[in-house]
Amino acid sequence: MHFKGKAHKVGDHIDTDAIIPARCLVTTDPQELGRNCMAGLEENWVSRINKGDILLGGKNFGCGSSREHAPIAILGAGIPVVVAHSFARIFYRNGFNMGLVLLEVGDEISRLSDGDELEIKALEGKIINHTTGDTVNSLPVPEFMADILAKGGLINYVREKVA
């Protein structure tokens, strides 16, 4: 799991309603949800995103409801990975189940800024900042979670296991 992209930083305590507002939950289509990603934070936020870009969150990213639509919206916007200080536990589990890579870095998040060009080696827990030349370490993605991500999420993982 290797990613490269421009960082888009949001603040602390970004809840699932900021990620995908309830008014947008009339579909489960990833592309439609992706068009409204972060609309609860800022209308048209997604217009700044290019496929492969990286989302930086603060503390408690993904708090609020347990809606699976939030990680689906992020993926639908073209963002394959979120790096944050910390994640709300239900979002963390939902993210991996939907195929979204999540890396926690604690206070090291302050070493990454909006607009930085990042390279992420998720299995090694390395975040290389090509803008500053700095490297931030995270816990690597656990092997069993990497297996789920490699299959594109929990449903595909289970389908393969029971087939």
Side-chain angles (χ1 to χ4, degrees), residues 21 36 41 64 66 74 85 90 105 119 124 140 156 161:
N36 293 297
L41 184 66
S66 61
I74 293 169
H85 177 283
I90 190 71
V105 296
E119 179 178 356
E124 298 172 35
N156 293 336
K161 291 289 182 188

Side-chain angles (χ1 to χ4, degrees), residues 87-156:
F87 294 95
R89 294 295 95 186
I90 190 71
F91 179 86
Y92 189 78
R93 189 63 212 190
N94 281 342
F96 279 98
N97 286 349
M98 296 300 146
L100 180 63
V101 177
L102 305 170
L103 296 173
E104 282 187 324
V105 296
D107 292 336
E108 299 295 303
I109 195 69
S110 65
R111 295 169 53 198
L112 304 171
S113 300
D114 193 59
D116 284 351
E117 291 294 329
L118 304 179
E119 179 178 356
I120 295 176
K121 298 177 179 180
L123 296 179
E124 298 172 35
K126 297 277 183 211
I127 303 163
I128 302 159
N129 188 334
H130 289 290
T131 302
T132 65
D134 200 6
T135 298
V136 171
N137 294 311
S138 72
L139 290 175
V141 173
E143 188 174 325
F144 76 98
M145 300 293 260
D147 290 344
I148 293 171
L149 292 169
K151 304 295 183 225
L154 185 60
I155 291 174
N156 293 336

